[in-house]
Amino acid sequence: MTNFQLAWRNLWRNKRRTMITSASVFFAVFFALLMRSFQLGAYDRLFQNVIESYTGYMQLQEKDYLDDRILDNGFFPDTSLVRKIENDPNITEVLPRLESFALAAAGSRTQGVIVMGIDPKGEDRATGLGHRLVKYRLDDSAVNSLQHQDIPARTRKLIKVFSGYSYSGTARLMADLGIDEKDSAMILPAIRKFASIRNSYLDSSDTSGILIGNGLSEYLKAGLGDTIVLIGQGYHGASAAGRYRVKGIVNLPAPDIDNRIVYLIVTAAQQLYDAPGLVTSAVICLKRNDDNSLEKTRLRIGRFIKDPLVLVPWRKLNELLVNQMEADNKSGLILIGILYLVIAFGVFGTVLMMLAERRREFGMLISIGMQKRKLAGMISLELLFVGIIGVAAGIAVSLPPVFYAHYHPIRFTGQMARMYEDYGFDPVMPTLLPGGYYLWQTVVVLVILIIAVGFSARRIFRINIINSMRT
Amino acid sequence: MKVVEINDVHKIYHDTEVEVRAINGVTLSFEKGEFTVIVGPSGSGKTTLLNLIGGLDQPTNGEILVAGHRLSELRPSELIDFRMEHVGFVFQSYNLIPVLTASENVGFIMSLQKWPKEKRIARTNELLGSVGLSDRGNSRPSQLSGGQQQRVAVARALATRPEFILADEPTANLDSKSAEALLDIMEKLNRDEEMTFIFSTHDAKVMKRARRIITLEDGKVVSDETRTEN
Ligand SMILES: Nc1ncnc2c1ncn2[C@@H]1O[C@H](COP(=O)(O)OP(=O)(O)OP(=O)(O)O)[C@@H](O)[C@H]1O
Ligand SMILES: [Mg+2]
């Protein structure tokens, strides 16, 4: 009869207690893992959104630009350097950007804006800017005309509710207006007829066309074909001014950008600011963008990059966001801490009960010659069994939902979806695939168990045989 | 040959505010092959005395020698090994490990001592036979009657051939038929194998069989009679 067998049989002696303890460990581990997976998955997705639609995974900048985003901290990329970088196996292209500020005026209204000089084709490939063009807009005339169409009353009402909204595709439009698949054939043609806008993207030679954010277009009351004047300060103190025609309106998920952004081609921006060849950053587009590949690529191309230029990875580009996430992460950890405190109490309750219940048995065993350390070993094994069953079950049961929700994330609809989108999130709840955080939580539970084991071993070493055998 | 010598032993408990003189100057010795009972009113110190002899507790004063070992000189863990090697215990109840079968309980100490398997099984079977439970080896304690459980406890106590067996009121929870059966077995072991038994009891059936009766009162020996064989 080994200690191991004895411990195993003792577990099944009080089946219910073993089950309850294992189950409490199981539920805590399961919920903690699931919660963590969703939380980390949300961060992951958020960063992916921001990185893929704005900053990219890595940028080349002049070393002072990150702290002081002025044109004077821009640089003139030399073509041989760009070629060297583009030759790296993990890099697809390098996109120049010239970003600065200006005052935009249209009619009687003005607004301070971000002017973004871009390579339109490359930017579309890298960030999908072309797909953000507004296709439908429920402006007053569209809403009016649609009220007289033969469409369901519910949709008619919703069209009024969403009056003023713009859409880059039909999916969102259908969700907002409560149009389901089977009605779409009937309703969409009317919407196309009255609410479509003739939006077009920038082409590489168009030095007078601009794209503006939907929010900005509403504020300036500037539509397609309207003229916008940009006034600002040029490179090295020159003055900057230019007239442009609105070619397209884009819908950007983050409102503070949507309300203030103007895109033009990079050479047009250079003309505006009187700085031919100047860029403020170059987005380096990657094939593989996991932390490991990113770091390797950074080290490889870092060799060509000489002062004053630096490579800035996404974490630094989005420092504010990263810090916010870290703060948010703490609240998640506190919740998990509470969950684990609950397990700790559960496990200790069981241990205390078990020790009290088996006092006589322990006294008898020590009387007939079982060494205390052997007895403590047996009890430790029992507890470890209970804990490990719980942890293993928790991990096993968490895997299917975590994997499933990673590949088929829960998708929000309606109000919830809009809320997510307004904050720049995709309206989905993905999970993060198992990784370090699984290990980490298993370690926490094992630490709790080891404390419980230490506690019961201590109790066993202090057993007074005479007292434990009396009554 | 003396197996136990007790020399002016005192045991005082201070657990509560009042101090209790549970054993108050006892000098006794036990020879190999004795079949002795300790009697006396409740609280007279019977259990305390047996605990002291068995090395479960240490006297406040005085000295106890068992099989040549001065118990006060042993460290706590040595004392545990000492009990395993030299003393067999049969308690009033809770003798057996509930999750083990009768055979496993009997073999438990042997496996703590790492006996080879065949030897252990042979000895276990022999012992179960000698307490009349050859056919119940695979039963768990909960499947045995109280008397059968006590017999398994006796078999276990005998396993490593101890110097003597201490039994504190072994029949207290048994009906008279089971008690007689248990006593028959112990008597037989005493007669055939010269196993030394020291009991405490209130039970007249046990007293009737004893060859030596020691009476305690207030922690003192008030009489010590040896009955001559007839
Ligand atoms: N661990 C202890 N702590 C304090 N007092 C104790 C302890 N053990 C025994 N006593 C006291 O010592 C005295 C002797 O007790 P003991 O158990 O030896 O008597 P006993 O003769 O076995 O009685 P019984 O016939 O009821 O079993 C009693 O007064 C008892 O209350
Ligand atoms: Mg007693």
Side-chain angles (χ1 to χ4, degrees):
Chain A
M1 184 57 35
T2 61
N3 242 4
F4 193 83
Q5 284 168 299
L6 198 58
W8 184 252
R9 284 205 210 164
N10 270 319
L11 279 190
W12 302 112
R13 162 151 148 225
N14 196 330
K15 257 189 224 125
R16 191 177 312 171
R17 186 169 56 207
T18 302
M19 301 284 214
I20 290 173
T21 315
S22 279
S24 75
V25 174
F26 160 79
F27 279 115
V29 168
F30 174 74
F31 285 119
L33 286 176
L34 215 62
M35 226 166 70
R36 203 74 193 126
S37 183
F38 274 113
Q39 194 177 19
L40 296 176
Y43 298 159
D44 202 54
R45 177 61 65 111
L46 176 71
F47 282 119
Q48 210 177 323
N49 278 342
V50 173
I51 290 164
E52 286 173 6
S53 53
Y54 304 111
T55 63
Y57 284 91
M58 199 161 35
Q59 290 186 4
L60 185 62
Q61 294 180 350
E62 205 270 348
K63 65 176 189 270
D64 293 326
Y65 185 71
L66 196 64
D67 294 326
D68 191 7
R69 297 164 70 89
I70 55 170
L71 287 178
D72 289 351
N73 289 334
F75 65 99
F76 297 91
D78 87 62
T79 42
S80 75
L81 176 67
V82 170
R83 204 171 312 122
K84 268 191 207 155
I85 294 175
E86 282 179 337
N87 275 339
D88 186 275
N90 193 34
I91 290 175
T92 54
E93 60 187 321
V94 176
L95 295 176
R97 279 185 186 172
L98 177 65
E99 187 182 330
S100 189
F101 299 96
L103 215 54
S108 59
R109 295 201 169 211
T110 48
Q111 164 77 315
V113 295
I114 309 165
V115 174
M116 187 78 106
I118 55 167
D119 163 3
K121 286 213 185 73
E123 205 72 29
D124 188 34
R125 279 192 296 272
T127 65
L129 187 59
H131 299 284
R132 298 189 185 277
L133 281 172
V134 170
K135 292 217 176 61
Y136 310 101
R137 195 173 210 184
L138 297 174
D139 55 22
D140 292 345
S141 79
V143 171
N144 263 331
S145 315
L146 285 168
Q147 290 307 311
H148 303 105
Q149 296 303 305
D150 177 26
I151 47 184
R154 184 172 118 84
T155 300
R156 253 208 308 266
K157 220 181 260 157
L158 284 169
I159 285 172
K160 275 200 208 148
V161 172
F162 286 101
S163 155
Y165 278 86
S166 301
Y167 298 90
S168 311
T170 49
R172 179 64 186 283
L173 177 100
M174 285 165 64
D176 275 359
L177 300 185
I179 304 170
D180 46 32
E181 233 28 89
K182 64 179 173 23
D183 296 338
S184 61
M186 183 175 89
I187 307 172
L188 286 185
I191 289 178
R192 277 200 193 99
K193 184 165 168 209
F194 295 103
S196 283
I197 67 172
R198 294 182 52 79
N199 231 343
S200 52
Y201 193 58
L202 291 177
D203 65 53
S204 327
S205 59
D206 187 352
T207 52
S208 65
I210 56 173
L211 303 180
I212 62 175
N214 187 44
L216 181 64
S217 130
E218 272 164 22
Y219 179 80
L220 292 178
K221 297 196 186 309
L224 294 173
D226 290 352
T227 299
I228 284 186
V229 175
L230 296 177
I231 306 163
Q233 187 166 40
Y235 190 49
H236 288 322
S239 67
R243 286 179 66 208
Y244 302 90
R245 204 169 37 77
V246 177
K247 273 195 83 179
I249 294 168
V250 285
N251 222 350
L252 295 168
D256 51 335
I257 295 179
D258 194 50
N259 290 335
R260 300 188 343 119
I261 193 109
V262 169
Y263 289 100
L264 59 169
I265 67 170
V266 70
T267 46
Q270 287 164 348
Q271 259 170 40
L272 171 67
Y273 289 109
D274 194 19
L278 184 78
V279 301
T280 51
S281 60
V283 178
I284 296 173
C285 304
L286 301 178
K287 284 181 190 142
R288 271 174 295 106
N289 53 35
D290 54 283
D291 282 356
N292 189 25
S293 312
L294 187 68
E295 185 55 21
K296 278 191 186 140
T297 311
R298 198 175 70 85
L299 289 177
R300 270 200 309 271
I301 61 176
R303 278 178 295 150
F304 319 133
I305 288 160
K306 300 265 142 44
D307 193 69
L309 297 186
V310 286
L311 282 171
V312 189
W314 65 268
R315 265 179 235 280
K316 259 186 154 171
L317 290 170
N318 296 292
E319 212 159 17
L320 190 67
L321 197 61
V322 170
N323 289 341
Q324 276 171 355
M325 284 306 108
E326 267 159 18
D328 185 78
N329 195 9
K330 292 217 174 71
S331 69
L333 290 179
I334 288 171
L335 219 68
I336 286 176
I338 292 171
L339 215 59
Y340 281 132
L341 214 61
V342 172
I343 321 189
F345 278 115
V347 170
F348 268 84
T350 307
V351 168
L352 285 175
M353 218 155 65
M354 186 262 287
L355 290 174
E357 214 170 85
R358 289 166 68 183
R359 258 162 60 99
R360 271 168 170 279
E361 182 189 336
F362 294 162
M364 180 271 289
L365 287 168
I366 299 168
S367 298
I368 66 168
M370 192 172 197
Q371 287 291 353
K372 290 181 174 179
R373 72 186 123 72
K374 192 138 192 190
L375 185 57
M378 180 181 90
I379 300 308
S380 307
L381 267 179
E382 281 180 35
L383 283 172
L384 287 178
F385 274 143
V386 175
I388 286 166
I389 291 172
V391 172
I395 289 178
V397 174
S398 76
L399 288 177
V402 164
F403 271 92
Y404 184 84
H406 181 79
Y407 294 109
H408 309 269
I410 298 166
R411 192 161 277 280
F412 296 118
T413 52
Q415 274 309 109
M416 193 73 174
R418 183 164 287 281
M419 210 175 77
Y420 263 69
E421 287 184 346
D422 287 349
Y423 283 98
F425 291 92
D426 264 357
V428 291
M429 241 169 74
T431 52
L432 189 69
L433 289 181
Y437 70 103
Y438 263 63
L439 191 74
W440 190 94
Q441 305 215 36
T442 310
V443 169
V444 170
V445 180
L446 288 181
V447 167
I448 292 173
L449 281 172
I450 285 165
I451 294 171
V453 163
F455 174 80
S456 37
R458 210 174 109 103
R459 277 294 189 87
I460 285 168
F461 279 105
R462 291 180 160 194
I463 281 182
N464 174 316
I465 310 175
I466 303 299
N467 288 339
S468 71
M469 303 277 283
R470 270 157 62 96
T471 57
Chain B
M1 194 181 82
K2 286 192 171 69
V3 288
V4 180
E5 283 185 74
I6 303 169
N7 225 326
D8 193 24
V9 161
H10 295 255
K11 177 71 193 180
I12 304 171
Y13 287 112
H14 302 279
D15 295 11
T16 50
E17 290 108 63
V18 281
E19 62 168 41
V20 180
R21 297 180 166 269
I23 295 294
N24 198 2
V26 169
T27 301
L28 278 173
S29 63
F30 298 88
E31 296 284 332
K32 182 159 180 58
E34 280 192 25
F35 200 76
T36 298
V37 300
I38 300 169
V39 299
S42 184
S44 56
K46 303 181 292 296
T47 300
T48 305
L49 184 59
L50 289 185
N51 288 343
L52 291 172
I53 298 171
L56 295 176
D57 209 353
Q58 293 284 6
T60 317
N61 266 313
E63 216 159 51
I64 300 172
L65 268 103
V66 175
H69 293 83
R70 214 174 288 272
L71 296 191
S72 57
E73 286 170 357
L74 299 178
R75 281 184 287 129
S77 69
E78 289 172 338
L79 209 51
I80 295 177
D81 284 338
F82 162 84
R83 291 197 296 266
M84 177 165 69
E85 282 158 26
H86 299 287
V87 191
F89 288 95
V90 177
F91 304 105
Q92 185 178 329
S93 54
Y94 291 99
N95 265 300
L96 304 178
I97 303 165
V99 295
L100 301 186
T101 62
S103 297
E104 287 164 343
N105 266 292
V106 173
F108 186 72
I109 294 176
M110 296 182 252
S111 58
L112 285 183
Q113 291 184 335
K114 305 210 160 47
W115 285 34
K117 198 172 172 200
E118 307 79 56
K119 215 175 139 200
R120 194 176 73 217
I121 291 172
R123 178 83 176 132
T124 300
N125 290 338
E126 177 196 335
L127 288 166
L128 279 175
S130 68
V131 298
L133 290 172
S134 295
D135 53 338
R136 301 308 301 270
N138 289 325
S139 306
R140 292 269 177 109
S142 57
Q143 298 162 324
L144 298 173
S145 72
Q148 288 171 329
Q149 290 180 30
Q150 291 303 72
R151 277 143 67 186
V152 175
V154 170
R156 182 191 57 201
L158 287 166
T160 56
R161 303 182 201 283
E163 243 65 50
F164 53 87
I165 290 180
L166 297 175
D168 192 8
E169 307 199 36
T171 59
N173 293 334
L174 303 183
D175 60 87
S176 49
K177 231 181 99 200
S178 307
E180 296 289 0
L182 181 67
L183 288 165
D184 287 344
I185 285 163
M186 300 210 267
E187 247 182 357
K188 185 168 179 297
L189 288 164
N190 175 255
R191 201 172 343 104
D192 299 352
E193 300 184 20
E194 247 198 304
M195 178 50 66
T196 313
F197 283 89
I198 305 170
F199 303 95
S200 82
T201 196
H202 289 286
D203 186 345
K205 294 188 288 299
V206 184
M207 290 182 235
K208 214 173 61 200
R209 304 213 187 197
R211 287 200 302 278
R212 180 182 177 194
I213 298 180
I214 297 167
T215 310
L216 287 184
E217 247 170 58
D218 296 330
K220 288 196 165 96
V221 177
V222 293
S223 84
D224 182 352
E225 309 161 51
T226 303
R227 190 182 296 158
T228 43
E229 300 277 341
N230 39 6

